[in-house]
Amino acid sequence: MTPTEKRLASGGYLDRSQVLKFTFDGRQYAGFKGDTLASALLASGVSLVGRSFKYHRPRGILSAGAEEPNALVTVGTGARREPNLPATMLELAPGLDAASQNNWPSLRFDVQSVNSLFSPLLSSGFYYKTFMGPSRRAWMFYEYFIRRAAGLGKATMMPDPDVYDSRDDFTDVAVVGGGAAGLSAARAAAQAGARVLLIEQDFEIGGRLLSEPAGAAWLQAMRTELESMPNLRIMRRTTAFGLYDGNTLALIEDADPFAGRDMGAARKTFTLLHAQSIVFATGAIERPMVFANNDRPGVMLNSAIRAYVNRYAVLPGRNIVIATADDSAYLTAFDLLAHGARVTIADARPMAEPTLLTRAKQMGAEVHLATNVANVKGKYAVEGVVLAGKAGTTGVSCDLVGMSAGWSPVLHLTSHQGVKPVYRPDIDAFVPGPLPETQFVAGAATGSSGVSAAIAEGATVGRAAAAVAGKVGTVAEAPALEIEETAGPTTVYKPIFGQRKAFVDFQMDVTLDDIQLAQREGYESVEHLKRYTTLGMGTDQGKTSNINALKAMAKLRGISIPVAGTTTFRPPYTPVAIGAVAGRARGHHFRPYRLTPIHDWHTANGAQMLEVGLWMRPWFFEASGKDVNAAYVNEMRHVRSAAGIMDISTLGKIDIQGPDAATFLDRVYANGFASLKVGRARYGVMLRDDGIVFDDGTTTRLGPDRFFMTTSTAKAADVLSWLEFLLDTAWPDLRVSVSSVSDEWAGMSVAGPESGKILAAAFPDIGFSNEAFPHMGLAEGAFRDSPLRIIRLSYSGERAYEIYVGASNGEAAWRHLIDAGAPYGLKPYGVEALGALRVEKGHVAGPEIDGRTTLSDLGMGRMVAKRSGYVGEALSRREAFTAANRQRLVGLKCIEPGKRLRGGALLFAPGEPLEGHGHGRMTSITYSPELDCYVGLGLLAADFEGDEVIASYPMKNEVVRARVVSPVFLDPAGERMHG
Amino acid sequence: MLRIDCPCCGVRDHSEFRYGGDATAERPAHDNPDLDAWYRYVYVRANPKGLHREFWQHVLGCRQWLVVERDTVTHSIHSVNFSRRQRA
Ligand SMILES: [Zn+2]
């Protein structure tokens, strides 16, 4: 297949040696390298490319850039189906497979274009009224109809098979936009000595210069120069879509479709760019005019026509009406005339620049001043227009309509950080407001018109931006560019009311009538207008519609444009593939697990693993039972009757050293530590400043100036930060250092009546008699080449030892203990049994230390009865904490045979209605093999009378009676752990 | 993205830091039993518009607690110091 009749024989930024085949709606076409999907379709004579959102009106290609509201297509199939991509931004690549959207059964015969007949039904506020109106039944009725009819392309429901990267990048100067201003700024900043990153959303740098035949040589020279500069990088196919604190730009880069991607290479890359200074050279977007049927395929922006003719070598029409309120449209007309097209100019203004008029007439154009397009004929393609001027209306036949109603500077990024745009009546446009001193703007984005101005401004701000980074080297004059320039608009274009089907927002199908209706119904503020009509809510975010809507509203209200307001711009500037922001942080990589040094042994020996916070821990071992409920009870029984071994490497471990270490701990813990003897351990509880319990753990005194602290697994990081905070900010006079040794030590606990014998067998050099090594004692030694610490501590209530060795010897020590313990029946157990054992023993943990409970609530008030000067003391004594109905820790024992308790159950008095929050709640439960029933810990109002509660668990509709007892269900005298 | 110039490590992203609250609140001495003084330290905040001193810890760096002077309107950072040096 060869390019068709609309392609010009020569010219354009195309590589005609590379013919690319692609499909659109299943039909095969061809284009060249350098085409977009839009230009290739236009070259192939395809002008109808989609159906609109609400009314399913036939739509074509409006623009040649990121602002495109009409030509949205779906690319790819299956898991790679990606909807709503503007054809104007899709770089043509071999095998591109695109499809039109919103049509059934085909683009040309769309059944639902019948929606057009129902359009009064779908007018502005329709959704709003049906949702918010007195009866929502209307919505129930219409929902099916609307869901089928309205909407854009459909995303795939399958997981994204592609790979994305996300990264950070740094530069002195970031230049956003590679048009004349941006190229000039980048060159100046780089010559001044700054590291420069030039960001261009297109696959070709040059911006609107690509549409200027006279600019080609300059552009080529500039590109060659910039590409040779070692301190300048160019990112093409990259959109800066958001500006954040600290001159951080969020970039999204598409992979070069011609580069060929290796397996695992990213389809898109997300970059957080940290820049010392930023130059916004983002250009301007041309605004459509608002007239009846201005959405028909074949109605385009004049600047887009110019881009298609000059950059893509496509002549989209031969008989063309150019409607304008701006001199720049004449340049489009000249280019079309030069290619032999017939051109009629309808200039809305009473007068245009005389030299332009003369030249247009000389070249053969018909020019009508003070004339507007009043209507467009033709449904699937433009067939003609009705012109309305002073002498009345006349019909003109044509196959293409161009329009320009002035230019809107692209100021989205500059206002993301809250800088409000400012209206300039002289150019009828909003321009960026005053920017911070590290941000600059140049070229059309400032509202200035013309290439020479853009080059001069670019050079000035490029130098200034480099100076922010301290780079002030000599900058050579930029090469001059001889080019035809036009001034900006000389009058303010205003939409003319009373026209039907005159579209303001093409993508969201919002017409002039809709805006009038919104105003009549009181939705006058721009923010209300947007929400009422959905104007500007499409994937294009109203890039071509916001200003026209604002003008319409200003005119209806009889106020000026700046009084009518402007809309707030928020990131992203263009839609961003969410996968790129995630980068490789998906699935497992989103939050990597932490594994203990003994992990591999667990998985090789039948452990069912459980995610506990950041860690993977053994939940239970398969040898203990077929499921967790059977296994944990067996593991509990085994610990109480013989011995079990548990991996406790996840505990937070902190090395505390210094002459004032004991004083420090004495303040940090609510209970005293100054008196702790060397070689002894103590259970400690920390409070927060507000008097609430923070964490608990044990701390062992290794020497006069050295302590070994353990924290709960969950609070390990918080406790370390807290200790550092106190030393850095509150008590810098204390000579103490703290450092985390959590990863340096592997930890394991051997618990049960046989534990002493097992330890003695494993470590024959250490004495394990009660006299030599009592409860809360410490023994130090060596295991292989690693130091060894054994602390006799019990969490389960049984005689137990915590064994710490260097992490790299963790698994070896574990195996050593398993072997030494085999004759005594030592078996591993998991966290389910660990939690159950501590409930039976009445030890509090996370469910009770929940950020709301005090020491007294947890039954530990006596620990601090005679103490003062510890963290949280003052506020722990506040009145509210002694209220009569304060919930305190209790034990709860199920007294209904065959029933069970549940954590989270609410506690009521017998006979009381089971409503509200009750008098407390069950916090932790377990089946107790010792008592052969369910037992639990709970928090119950201290003024609750009676010793029986009703535990209600509404989630499962369970109600069970329980007796209020002591939280220590087992061995209250502690004979087992001391014995 | 805030960038904090850690006096130990240099300029780093705020994602390396942990926010630690108001640095202007005066912490009572550890043995001060005055409930009202602690109440003011723990709960009463000025919430100023403009410059504010606040604690940040460089958790993924040197782990020092820093006092950062930040403009709550513009988010620009005016100074960064070690908390220890400032207090001592
Ligand atoms: Zn640091």
Side-chain angles (χ1 to χ4, degrees):
Chain A
M1 201 179 295
T2 53
T4 67
E5 77 274 12
K6 297 211 171 183
R7 182 79 74 182
L8 297 167
S10 64
Y13 290 83
L14 299 171
D15 179 352
R16 293 185 192 236
S17 70
Q18 291 200 50
V19 176
L20 307 174
K21 288 183 178 172
F22 67 99
T23 55
F24 179 67
D25 278 346
R27 245 191 92 182
Q28 204 168 78
Y29 299 92
F32 295 126
K33 184 174 188 313
D35 263 323
T36 60
L37 175 63
S39 69
L41 285 172
L42 284 173
S44 305
V46 178
S47 60
L48 171 65
V49 295
R51 290 274 177 172
S52 73
F53 178 61
K54 256 193 327 195
Y55 305 135
H56 288 241
R57 284 171 67 91
R59 290 284 165 82
I61 294 159
L62 177 76
S63 75
E67 68 271 31
E68 179 60 36
N70 283 339
L72 304 182
V73 298
T74 297
V75 169
T77 54
R80 288 198 166 81
R81 190 175 70 212
E82 195 177 7
N84 307 333
L85 301 172
T88 50
M89 293 300 286
L90 270 174
E91 182 174 4
L92 197 66
L96 181 73
D97 180 12
S100 61
Q101 301 182 163
N102 276 8
N103 56 77
W104 187 82
S106 76
L107 183 55
R108 199 154 184 98
F109 303 101
D110 175 38
V111 169
Q112 281 160 345
S113 62
V114 71
N115 277 10
S116 289
L117 303 177
F118 286 120
S119 61
L121 192 75
L122 291 168
S123 67
S124 70
F126 170 77
Y127 290 83
Y128 194 81
K129 284 169 192 161
T130 31
F131 276 124
M132 310 298 285
S135 165
R136 290 211 178 177
R137 258 183 303 175
W139 174 246
M140 311 292 276
F141 177 75
Y142 289 121
E143 184 181 0
Y144 173 78
F145 166 73
I146 290 171
R147 286 211 188 282
R148 270 193 67 88
L152 295 170
K154 288 182 179 61
T156 179
M157 300 299 283
M158 287 180 257
D160 191 339
D162 284 319
V163 173
Y164 302 88
D165 273 332
S166 99
R167 64 186 194 115
D168 283 79
D169 201 352
F170 302 85
T171 188
D172 291 337
V173 177
V175 178
V176 185
L183 294 171
S184 172
R187 176 182 177 275
Q191 284 195 349
R195 283 187 303 152
V196 178
L197 183 60
L198 175 64
I199 299 144
E200 172 52 57
Q201 64 184 0
D202 205 312
F203 53 87
E204 196 78 76
I205 60 170
R208 250 158 54 214
L209 273 182
L210 295 167
S211 312
E212 293 274 3
W218 186 90
L219 189 55
Q220 182 55 44
M222 195 62 132
R223 186 165 47 196
T224 307
E225 184 182 354
L226 294 192
E227 282 173 351
S228 72
M229 294 176 117
N231 54 335
L232 187 146
R233 286 181 292 154
I234 302 174
M235 285 177 83
R236 293 174 175 84
R237 304 178 180 84
T238 304
T239 303
F241 67 80
L243 175 67
Y244 302 91
D245 284 326
N247 276 358
T248 306
L249 283 165
L251 315 179
I252 189 106
E253 178 185 20
D254 286 334
D256 180 350
F258 294 91
R261 266 188 294 145
D262 297 334
M263 278 270 291
R267 185 172 84 96
K268 289 169 186 278
T269 301
F270 169 74
T271 300
L272 267 184
L273 175 67
H274 308 271
Q276 301 271 325
S277 58
I278 303 174
V279 175
F280 298 101
T282 42
I285 289 174
E286 195 168 29
R287 293 196 291 264
M289 294 176 127
V290 185
F291 47 78
N293 294 307
N294 60 344
D295 64 324
R296 290 305 189 202
V299 182
M300 298 173 82
L301 296 170
N302 283 322
S303 58
I305 295 176
R306 197 155 189 243
Y308 289 116
V309 171
N310 294 325
R311 175 175 173 183
Y312 301 107
V314 176
L315 191 59
R318 304 213 139 262
N319 185 9
I320 302 154
V321 170
I322 297 288
T324 185
D326 184 294
D327 281 347
S328 66
Y330 284 79
L331 301 179
T332 303
F334 300 155
D335 290 343
L336 291 168
L337 290 160
H339 284 289
R342 188 169 159 242
V343 174
T344 307
I345 297 173
D347 196 323
R349 302 167 297 174
M351 192 55 202
E353 166 64 34
T355 53
L356 295 174
L357 283 178
T358 311
R359 186 159 160 217
K361 284 171 187 162
Q362 271 171 1
M363 289 181 79
E366 202 176 306
V367 183
H368 303 269
L369 292 173
T371 300
N372 283 290
V373 174
N375 201 353
V376 176
K377 300 275 176 63
K379 186 175 179 190
Y380 298 111
V382 168
E383 289 164 12
V385 294
V386 176
L387 297 182
K390 274 178 286 190
T393 59
T394 42
V396 176
S397 72
C398 61
D399 58 4
L400 183 71
V401 179
M403 55 182 175
S404 31
W407 294 83
S408 297
V410 177
L411 41 72
H412 303 64
L413 285 174
T414 63
S415 61
H416 281 174
Q417 285 291 84
V419 175
K420 289 216 173 355
V422 177
Y423 182 72
R424 262 180 63 188
D426 60 320
I427 56 164
D428 184 27
F430 283 93
V431 297
L435 295 175
E437 54 199 22
T438 56
Q439 293 173 15
F440 305 88
V441 60
T446 67
S448 73
S449 70
V451 175
S452 311
I455 294 170
E457 286 170 21
T460 306
V461 301
R463 230 182 314 225
V468 169
K471 303 291 161 33
V472 291
T474 312
V475 176
E477 194 80 18
L481 172 55
E482 291 294 319
I483 202 165
E484 190 164 8
E485 311 246 23
T486 58
T490 45
T491 53
V492 173
Y493 170 80
K494 288 179 183 164
I496 298 162
F497 286 94
Q499 306 185 81
R500 311 305 309 273
K501 298 289 170 206
F503 284 84
V504 176
D505 187 323
F506 296 92
Q507 189 178 126
M508 298 310 285
D509 268 350
V510 178
T511 66
L512 216 44
D513 282 346
D514 290 324
I515 294 174
Q516 209 158 6
L517 180 66
Q519 190 264 341
R520 214 162 47 226
E521 297 193 344
Y523 296 91
E524 293 196 326
S525 123
V526 171
E527 294 298 331
H528 290 162
L529 174 69
K530 282 183 71 169
R531 281 151 186 81
Y532 196 63
T533 62
T534 69
L535 183 128
M537 302 274 199
T539 58
D540 63 339
Q541 288 191 17
K543 291 184 177 66
T544 53
S545 65
N546 283 333
I547 302 297
N548 278 339
L550 200 60
K551 289 178 167 207
M553 186 54 85
K555 193 173 169 185
L556 287 169
R557 294 176 62 190
I559 56 176
S560 70
I561 288 164
V563 171
T566 178
T567 52
T568 312
F569 296 107
R570 296 188 184 88
Y573 173 64
T574 50
V576 171
I578 197 75
V581 179
R584 311 234 170 190
R586 51 192 281 188
H588 257 277
H589 300 286
F590 173 63
R591 199 183 67 174
Y593 300 131
R594 297 185 72 182
L595 306 180
T596 76
I598 308 161
H599 180 84
D600 291 346
W601 189 92
H602 300 321
T603 53
N605 286 273
Q608 286 283 319
M609 303 302 284
L610 182 70
E611 206 177 329
V612 184
L614 296 171
W615 291 93
M616 289 300 285
R617 301 189 69 181
W619 189 18
F620 64 94
F621 286 83
E622 280 159 7
S624 309
K626 63 181 190 327
D627 63 16
V628 63
N629 289 321
Y632 90 82
V633 174
N634 287 334
E635 289 178 0
M636 281 176 87
R637 279 203 182 99
H638 194 76
V639 169
R640 299 238 184 268
S641 63
I645 183 167
M646 170 84 206
D647 182 355
I648 56 166
S649 303
T650 61
L651 291 179
K653 306 170 209 77
I654 301 171
D655 193 345
I656 298 168
Q657 300 188 39
D660 296 322
T663 309
F664 176 60
L665 288 172
D666 208 45
R667 292 183 194 175
V668 165
Y669 279 123
N671 51 322
F673 268 74
S675 63
L676 184 66
K677 291 188 173 66
V678 172
R680 302 287 290 176
R682 185 169 288 174
Y683 172 74
V685 183
M686 295 181 195
L687 307 187
R688 309 189 306 214
D689 281 331
D690 64 1
I692 296 287
V693 175
F694 174 35
D695 194 38
D696 67 348
T698 56
T699 288
T700 307
R701 191 164 199 166
L702 302 173
D705 297 344
R706 190 165 188 194
F707 293 82
F708 177 63
M709 174 186 280
T710 62
T711 74
S712 68
T713 299
K715 297 275 178 60
D718 290 343
V719 170
L720 181 68
S721 260
W722 174 236
L723 300 182
E724 290 164 332
F725 176 81
L726 292 171
L727 289 170
D728 273 3
T729 74
W731 313 321
D733 51 313
L734 292 186
R735 293 159 300 163
V736 181
S737 300
V738 295
S739 48
S740 169
V741 290
S742 296
D743 295 340
E744 283 73 7
W745 293 92
M748 52 216 85
S749 162
V750 177
E754 303 289 349
S755 58
K757 291 173 206 155
I758 294 167
L759 270 283
F763 306 109
D765 298 346
I766 298 171
F768 287 91
S769 70
N770 279 333
E771 296 68 37
F773 196 167
H775 185 59
M776 295 303 213
L778 162 76
E780 290 184 279
F783 175 75
R784 298 194 175 176
D785 57 346
S786 152
L788 170 73
R789 280 179 197 161
I790 302 175
I791 309 165
R792 188 167 164 190
L793 293 168
S794 177
Y795 193 52
S796 57
E798 301 300 326
R799 179 182 186 128
Y801 300 85
E802 291 184 356
I803 300 103
Y804 295 95
V805 297
S808 51
N809 282 307
E811 191 181 330
W814 177 276
R815 288 177 183 279
H816 179 68
L817 281 162
I818 291 277
D819 291 345
Y824 305 93
L826 182 68
K827 288 181 184 173
Y829 64 103
V831 287
E832 194 69 24
L834 177 80
L837 289 163
R838 70 97 190 164
V839 171
E840 225 178 18
K841 182 62 186 171
H843 278 312
V844 292
E848 290 79 35
I849 302 177
D850 65 351
R852 292 178 289 182
T853 46
T854 65
L855 272 179
S856 299
D857 295 344
L858 299 178
M860 295 189 281
R862 269 178 311 176
M863 274 170 85
V864 296
K866 292 175 188 151
R867 295 243 313 141
S868 65
Y870 54 89
V871 168
E873 183 208 348
L875 289 177
S876 74
R877 300 198 196 285
R878 67 176 109 165
E879 214 179 311
F881 287 168
T882 59
N885 64 348
R886 188 84 197 159
Q887 295 182 359
R888 301 281 160 90
L889 185 75
V890 293
L892 296 156
K893 189 177 162 192
C894 183
I895 50 175
E896 287 191 73
K899 287 198 174 181
R900 58 163 299 171
L901 304 179
R902 287 196 189 271
L906 299 177
L907 307 177
F908 295 91
E912 198 179 30
L914 305 179
E915 289 164 6
H917 293 207
H919 304 278
R921 64 202 164 83
M922 196 91 69
T923 49
S924 308
I925 62 103
T926 179
Y927 172 77
S928 166
E930 294 277 320
L931 304 179
D932 190 23
C933 68
Y934 271 88
V935 300
L937 301 177
L939 293 162
L940 180 65
D943 61 354
F944 183 86
E945 287 174 12
D947 66 350
E948 203 176 302
V949 293
I950 303 295
S952 164
Y953 193 74
M955 309 288 290
K956 288 194 183 284
N957 235 344
E958 286 179 5
V959 174
V960 60
R961 286 162 52 223
R963 175 149 304 129
V964 181
V965 295
S966 156
V968 184
F969 295 93
L970 178 108
D971 184 26
E975 285 163 3
R976 296 190 187 200
M977 59 192 186
H978 288 96
Chain B
M1 181 72 79
L2 296 178
R3 303 268 290 157
I4 298 174
D5 191 357
C6 175
C8 178
C9 311
V11 183
R12 292 287 196 277
D13 281 351
H14 77 235
S15 51
E16 290 186 7
F17 295 80
R18 169 191 190 125
Y19 180 68
D22 190 346
T24 64
E26 203 54 47
R27 185 184 177 90
H30 73 100
D31 52 358
N32 182 346
D34 180 11
L35 194 67
D36 194 56
W38 282 98
Y39 161 73
R40 274 183 275 113
Y41 168 69
V42 172
Y43 293 108
V44 181
R45 292 291 179 270
N47 193 20
K49 181 179 180 180
L51 273 194
H52 187 231
R53 291 201 309 142
E54 52 200 26
F55 287 122
W56 289 77
Q57 187 188 16
H58 197 189
V59 279
L60 298 182
C62 60
R63 293 202 65 90
Q64 295 300 302
W65 278 92
L66 309 171
V67 174
V68 174
E69 221 181 351
R70 182 180 66 100
D71 191 313
T72 58
V73 180
T74 63
H75 291 188
S76 60
I77 290 172
H78 291 244
S79 70
V80 184
N81 288 289
F82 289 123
S83 171
R84 262 178 191 262
R85 191 165 295 164
Q86 202 142 80
R87 300 251 143 183

